[in-house]
Amino acid sequence: MRITLNGVSEDCAAATLAELLQSLDLANAAIATALNGSFIRRDQRAATPLHEGDAVEIVAPMQGG
Amino acid sequence: MTLSQPWSDAPMRLYDHTFNSRLLLGTARYPSPAVLARAVGASKAEIVTVSLRREQAGQRSGQAFFELLRSLNVKLLPNTADCHSVKEAVTTAHMARELFQTDWIKLEVIGNAETLQPDIFGLVEAARILCADGFAVFPYMTEDLVLAEKLLAVGCKVLMPWGAPIGSGRGLNNSYGLRTLRAWFPDVPLIVDAGLGLPSHAAAAMELGYDACLLNTAVAKAGDPAKMATAFAKAIAAGRLAYEAQPMEPRDFAEPSTPLAGKARLA
């Protein structure tokens, strides 16, 4: 299926958000996630299925003012 | 006060935390992570602002930055920079809380892309939602008295009016408005956030009785950020001491400082 990952359309074989992060080697990284504009807690990732057309955001600490 | 401890003796309380430094420093726009670390050290800041941005799996730049933050041993104040809606700001705040393990959030709801002026209506609504959800909200706001009352009413315990537009370096555009806020809310921690360009701007804010200053670009874009951070730290400490010392009232006409009595008659 195709999803939008951080604004870029990509093929995705992962069934859940947790699997997607595993495939990106970000499962244990300092990140936070959102699906279709809604925050997904760390403990909800494994129970969050991905569907065709989903928009996933993965954010990390960044410099800020 | 010594040069190595350039702050007032009076500590500052923000949401049940006590701080000696009254300078909050942003972490963006420095030439390098090493320069950022030196500037934070020189500033003696105990609170720094951070943000959230997309992480690229191959680059993992956020992970390296997180390591740097941990090494600074300061309290983190995540922001919702560039959020233009209540939903965007609230979602960002939730992501920040999980990632940085803090309830603190510098709440920005931007209403104008050119001036970065806050959308005050969205700001109050987002603050209401976040305060009810247990966040310690630091609202980036204009110096509007009625807005301040509404933010306090929804649960904010700190207010952060701008001095001037973010990154403009213009100083205090509306000293009257800032002074009014100070007079109206004598017990609310007030922090001037944004628009400061020079240490003298920060000193002026502190002389008005503001509790602290939050700045970023003025230090990050200086030729020598660590030296400028030191200058701001000293200016903020000086301004605070001057406020605590209760400055004289200005006069319209001169008043001799040397006693007239006893002057020899020589004319």
Side-chain angles (χ1 to χ4, degrees):
Chain A
M1 64 180 163
R2 299 288 291 181
I3 64 168
T4 302
L5 175 58
N6 281 352
V8 178
S9 179
E10 295 193 6
D11 283 320
C12 175
T16 66
L17 183 56
E19 286 183 21
L20 174 65
L21 295 174
Q22 197 77 43
S23 71
L24 297 170
D25 196 25
L26 289 173
N28 297 313
I31 55 159
T33 54
L35 177 65
N36 299 325
S38 295
F39 170 55
I40 305 295
R41 293 198 320 256
R42 178 178 291 272
D43 61 6
Q44 293 175 325
R45 292 172 187 163
T48 301
L50 296 178
H51 302 101
E52 177 75 25
D54 276 348
V56 176
E57 293 286 342
I58 303 172
V59 296
M62 197 58 60
Q63 293 84 351
Chain B
M1 191 182 86
T2 67
L3 289 181
S4 61
Q5 189 183 348
W7 48 65
S8 159
D9 289 336
M12 169 177 67
R13 284 189 71 73
L14 303 173
Y15 286 105
D16 296 329
H17 289 70
T18 301
F19 301 95
N20 290 313
S21 169
R22 293 174 178 273
L23 193 167
L24 290 70
L25 193 61
T27 56
R29 309 188 72 184
Y30 292 83
S32 71
V35 173
L36 161 63
R38 281 198 293 275
V40 171
S43 74
K44 307 277 193 246
E46 296 169 289
I47 302 167
V48 302
T49 53
V50 293
S51 71
L52 293 174
R53 287 294 181 263
R54 287 169 167 169
E55 180 76 316
Q56 304 302 329
Q59 298 178 350
R60 301 175 70 91
S61 56
Q63 308 309 301
F65 180 60
F66 204 28
E67 286 302 311
L68 173 65
L69 290 176
R70 286 177 171 144
S71 74
L72 296 176
N73 195 29
V74 291
K75 184 154 182 62
L76 302 181
L77 175 57
N79 69 29
T80 63
D82 201 39
C83 287
H84 289 253
S85 71
V86 172
K87 180 176 185 297
E88 208 179 3
V90 169
T91 301
T92 300
H94 279 102
M95 290 197 286
R97 179 159 69 176
E98 180 182 78
L99 186 44
F100 294 110
Q101 295 289 296
T102 178
D103 291 331
W104 281 28
I105 191 74
K106 175 185 167 182
L107 182 60
E108 297 184 34
V109 183
I110 301 299
N112 184 289
E114 294 300 320
T115 65
L116 300 183
Q117 183 161 345
D119 166 5
I120 61 172
F121 307 100
L123 180 65
V124 173
E125 177 60 10
R128 185 188 64 76
I129 294 168
L130 292 172
C131 288
D133 199 17
F135 281 87
V137 175
F138 293 68
Y140 160 67
M141 56 183 284
T142 50
E143 72 287 10
D144 185 283
L145 178 61
V146 178
L147 168 61
E149 288 177 325
K150 292 188 182 301
L151 287 168
L152 294 171
V154 300
C156 295
K157 294 183 171 20
V158 174
L159 298 175
M160 299 210 300
W162 65 353
I166 295 171
S168 68
R170 298 179 61 84
L172 306 182
N173 269 354
N174 183 4
S175 293
Y176 166 78
L178 294 171
R179 193 162 49 241
T180 301
L181 281 189
R182 180 70 289 171
W184 207 256
F185 306 109
D187 300 321
V188 176
L190 297 178
I191 301 170
V192 168
D193 173 18
L196 303 182
L198 292 168
S200 56
H201 299 155
M206 300 303 292
E207 287 168 5
L208 290 177
Y210 273 67
D211 293 274
C213 293
L214 197 171
L215 52 118
N216 188 154
T217 306
V219 169
K221 288 299 182 184
D224 185 334
K227 191 171 283 186
M228 188 60 82
T230 302
F232 267 99
K234 292 184 176 182
I236 287 169
R240 177 66 190 183
L241 285 171
Y243 172 71
E244 292 177 359
Q246 303 172 38
M248 63 170 281
E249 289 295 323
R251 296 169 51 90
D252 285 334
F253 297 99
E255 183 178 54
S257 49
T258 302
L260 297 180
K263 177 180 179 294
R265 188 171 291 183
L266 305 172

